[in-house]
Amino acid sequence: MPPLSAPAPRKRVVLLGATGSIGETALRVLAAHPDKLELAGIAARSNWQKLARIARQFGVRHVGIHDPAAFAAARENPAAFPPGTQLVGGVAGLSELARLPAADIVLVAVVGTTGLEPALAAITAGKDLALASKEILVLAGKFVMAAARAHGVKLLPVDSEHNAVFQCLEGHPAAGVRRIVLTASGGAFRDWSDAQLAHVTPADALKHPNWAMGPKITVDSATLANKGLELIEAQWLFGLRPAQCSAVLHPQSIVHCLVEFTDGTMLAQLSPPSMAFPIQHALLHPERAPGVDSALDFTQLLELEFRPVDEGRFPMLRLAKETMSAGGVAPAVFNAANELAVAAFLDGRIPFLAIPRVVEQTLGSIKNFEPTDLAAVLASDAESRCVAAVRIQSLSR
Ligand code: NDP
Ligand code: MG
């Protein structure tokens, strides 16, 4: 009789961005698979009360808080956390969590590029990385991918389209891939006229037709900057040329990608528009387990529609594609200017249609070059933020 095999050890997960939209869905996945996944550490920017609740619910004793005032408030309330909790602060604290000896995989789901340093810390410490924060690869894809290769860690995409491409590519030699097509829902303003777009409010932009997400990515979906960021993200993740990465409008958000092979055959990945599917795939990879949300139901009418993207209506997608083709620090400049412009729009400081103007003007002001180290990219990122801030000031209402 063959010996009974021991159950696989649980994967220990550090979750950066635990209080956000991806964080919440990741917690649902963790709660559904206590035999396979264990939460080892959590972090957020400032919502320490919510972190404390999560820590108590999952028995987590390693907690990171980025914001100094929130970190101080949490330290004054140790009773809110499980006994023996270690609180760490700032980006250094997030990096410490990412290196936690008791962790196998780090899920980075922090808005913007704050997660870059912790992501590199995780890679250097030999942890696998589940990456939701696409901005990190847009900023520093060249260096993050090189570090992942050098340290032999797995980089598992969480962004739904990239997770879909990852699934379609598994087992296929790279030479056989002609191109990938990422699907775009078209966001909140897919069918709005130019005249309507001039009067968009933040509340309008935050109503996404298919996905419930954090505010920054919801606005990025409305401008289609999100799809542009995702094309650049895909280029780095899968080692593709810009011409091999394209997008198509697909209003239902059921097909997340199409991968075309050299023989003209395409593979697609389908699942309902819930981030629980890609998050679970990334955390359990290569294992599969029952999903936490219902799968597609073919007893109901299911229509799948695909349309070309009109880049004239979505200048942010055009700009992102231009920066992808230009290479160098151009994608980092695009990302930094977009981050500031979106924040200014959400604060009511600039109109919706000013977002591409801020980005285009910033791109026009910063010299492009091929960075040879991370410090050079970070310098361009900082310079872009200064330039974009001045543009925003001049456009402020
Ligand atoms: P949310 O705004 O919902 O949540 C952001 C999370 O990041 C919160 O936990 C927040 O903490 C934390 N955070 C923000 N800034 C910092 C900081 N400076 N330091 C530490 N933590 C910080 O965002 P989402 O969950 O929607 O998105 C997270 C990332 O995942 C983004 O990069 C997005 O592009 C990507 N993504 C999201 C998808 C989605 O469906 N939501 C889909 C694909 C990718 P606090 O609560 O304290 O502010
Ligand atoms: Mg996506």
Side-chain angles (χ1 to χ4, degrees), residues 132 134 158-162 182-183 211 213 217 221 226-227 230 233 256 275:
K134 63 194 80 187
V158 169
D159 209 344
S160 53
E161 298 79 358
H162 306 74
L182 306 184
T183 55
W211 299 90
M213 310 182 285
I217 183 173
S221 299
N226 184 50
K227 211 47 55 183
E230 290 185 353
E233 181 188 10
H256 302 291
M275 288 306 293

Side-chain angles (χ1 to χ4, degrees), residues 12 14 62 138 171 195 199 232 234 240 264 267 270 284 291 303:
R12 296 161 303 177
V14 165
H62 295 275
V138 176
H199 303 289
I232 300 166
L240 299 169
L267 289 186
L270 286 75
L284 292 183
E303 288 185 305

Side-chain angles (χ1 to χ4, degrees), residues 54-251:
I54 297 167
R56 292 196 303 270
Q57 184 189 345
F58 287 84
V60 178
R61 289 193 165 72
H62 295 275
V63 178
I65 301 165
H66 187 242
D67 178 73
F71 177 54
R75 277 163 57 115
E76 281 166 20
N77 289 279
F81 295 87
T85 295
Q86 298 207 355
L87 285 174
V88 290
V91 77
L94 266 58
S95 297
E96 198 180 322
L97 278 187
R99 283 191 296 265
L100 209 63
D104 303 301
I105 183 164
V106 179
L107 170 49
V108 182
V110 169
V111 183
T113 50
T114 311
L116 174 62
E117 197 179 306
L120 288 170
I123 291 172
T124 312
K127 317 286 183 197
D128 288 338
L129 201 64
L131 193 62
S133 305
K134 63 194 80 187
E135 297 92 340
I136 290 176
L137 289 182
V138 176
L139 172 67
K142 179 176 169 177
F143 304 103
V144 173
M145 296 308 295
R149 275 192 300 274
H151 291 275
V153 303
K154 281 202 289 192
L155 212 170
L156 296 149
V158 169
D159 209 344
S160 53
E161 298 79 358
H162 306 74
N163 183 269
V165 172
F166 183 94
Q167 295 196 42
C168 290
L169 286 179
E170 263 196 320
H172 296 278
V177 177
R178 179 180 288 157
R179 65 175 179 139
I180 61 163
V181 185
L182 306 184
T183 55
S185 67
F189 309 132
R190 185 176 57 218
D191 302 315
W192 286 39
S193 69
D194 289 353
Q196 286 174 302
L197 287 180
H199 303 289
V200 157
T201 65
D204 296 326
L206 292 177
K207 281 185 217 135
H208 195 284
N210 303 346
W211 299 90
M213 310 182 285
K216 197 255 175 186
I217 183 173
T218 307
V219 175
D220 283 349
S221 299
T223 61
L224 254 70
N226 184 50
K227 211 47 55 183
L229 295 171
E230 290 185 353
L231 291 174
I232 300 166
E233 181 188 10
Q235 186 198 355
W236 289 116
L237 277 171
F238 306 114
L240 299 169
R241 283 174 282 109
Q244 291 177 289
C245 307
S246 56
V248 67
L249 274 190
H250 166 51

Side-chain angles (χ1 to χ4, degrees), residues 42 47-59 80-81:
I42 50 175
N47 194 345
W48 66 268
Q49 294 94 335
K50 189 164 172 182
L51 282 176
R53 280 198 299 279
I54 297 167
R56 292 196 303 270
Q57 184 189 345
F58 287 84
F81 295 87

Side-chain angles (χ1 to χ4, degrees), residues 231-385:
L231 291 174
I232 300 166
E233 181 188 10
Q235 186 198 355
W236 289 116
L237 277 171
F238 306 114
L240 299 169
R241 283 174 282 109
Q244 291 177 289
C245 307
S246 56
V248 67
L249 274 190
H250 166 51
Q252 292 82 9
S253 299
I254 300 254
V255 174
H256 302 291
C257 83
L258 298 138
V259 172
E260 185 180 326
F261 295 91
T262 44
D263 58 4
T265 300
M266 280 188 158
L267 289 186
Q269 186 269 352
L270 286 75
S271 50
S274 158
M275 288 306 293
F277 293 96
I279 292 171
Q280 173 164 320
H281 175 269
L283 291 182
L284 292 183
H285 185 268
E287 205 182 331
R288 299 267 181 181
V292 295
D293 287 338
S294 306
L296 292 173
D297 175 6
F298 287 103
T299 64
Q300 310 289 320
L301 174 69
L302 179 63
E303 288 185 305
L304 301 177
E305 206 184 334
F306 300 91
R307 301 185 221 153
V309 190
D310 177 359
E311 285 180 22
R313 292 196 60 231
F314 296 106
M316 290 298 280
L317 180 59
R318 172 182 58 80
L319 289 169
K321 285 171 80 170
E322 285 171 9
T323 66
M324 177 165 71
S325 299
V329 296
V333 177
F334 173 89
N335 178 62
N338 178 55
E339 214 171 296
L340 263 73
V342 170
F345 165 69
L346 284 172
D347 288 351
R349 282 182 284 141
I350 59 169
F352 182 73
L353 291 178
I355 297 174
R357 284 168 63 194
V358 171
V359 174
E360 190 150 28
Q361 290 174 356
T362 308
L363 280 165
S365 308
I366 308 268
K367 193 173 168 310
N368 195 19
F369 64 96
E370 189 55 47
T372 49
D373 56 23
L374 186 58
V377 185
L378 295 178
S380 289
D381 172 80
E383 189 188 353
S384 309
R385 284 168 198 270

